[in-house]
Amino acid sequence: MLHKIEMNTSKRDEMRDITRDVQSYVRQSGVSNGLAVIYTPHTTAGITINENADPDVKHDVLMRLDEVYPWEHPKYRHAEGNTASHLKAITTGTSQNVIIQEGKLLLGRWQGIYFCEFDGPRTRECYIKIIEG
């Protein structure tokens, strides 16, 4: 089963918690044991798993990524001017796999699944593939 999440992002850099959406698709699928693959087909966005209990973690992650990959750098050559967003997407990756156990995502107590925008605001999508087994 393949599901699509469409969203409009509102900032250049943001992390949006999509854990509930993914869990909802797992419930709808009826799969008790298997795998959820969460993927985004964008070169300037990513999918990551991290803490979702303290909102300051999102702030700190985005702040540090901005420090490591500044928006402007004298040696960047990409004509669109968004080299930093490509580098951030490479760092987070475009997908995550989460085990489904007894109909629930097997995440740690503090973990959440995040769609990461690095070149917004934009209309974005990510896909969730539920695999039984």
Side-chain angles (χ1 to χ4, degrees), residues 1-129:
M1 286 166 241
L2 182 67
H3 303 277
K4 180 179 179 180
I5 298 173
E6 291 184 307
M7 65 195 95
N8 292 313
T9 61
S10 59
K11 301 175 195 165
R12 183 179 74 198
D13 294 306
E14 69 180 272
M15 292 174 68
R16 183 168 299 178
D17 187 350
I18 59 169
T19 311
R20 288 183 186 185
D21 296 310
V22 177
Q23 182 60 60
S24 176
Y25 289 129
V26 169
R27 259 192 308 279
Q28 289 174 31
S29 76
V31 170
S32 292
N33 296 297
L35 191 66
V37 179
I38 304 96
Y39 165 76
T40 185
H42 303 290
T43 61
T44 58
I47 303 291
T48 194
I49 296 173
N50 213 296
E51 180 177 336
N52 69 351
D54 182 348
D56 287 337
V57 171
K58 292 189 299 187
H59 169 272
D60 294 350
V61 167
L62 293 174
M63 176 195 68
R64 189 67 181 116
L65 283 171
D66 235 15
E67 290 172 355
V68 173
Y69 306 118
W71 194 252
E72 293 181 19
H73 190 284
K75 294 184 180 180
Y76 287 163
R77 297 172 69 178
H78 183 46
E80 280 185 75
N82 64 350
T83 296
S85 60
H86 290 280
L87 294 168
K88 292 173 185 180
I90 289 168
T91 299
T92 58
T94 58
S95 67
Q96 293 289 324
N97 299 316
V98 181
I99 296 168
I100 300 167
Q101 182 69 33
E102 297 177 4
K104 294 182 182 174
L105 295 168
L106 190 59
L107 292 168
R109 174 182 291 191
W110 308 114
Q111 288 183 316
I113 304 166
Y114 288 94
F115 176 86
C116 303
E117 172 64 74
F118 300 121
D119 196 23
R122 293 187 183 253
T123 299
R124 298 293 200 173
E125 59 214 19
C126 68
Y127 295 91
I128 296 93
K129 177 75 174 173

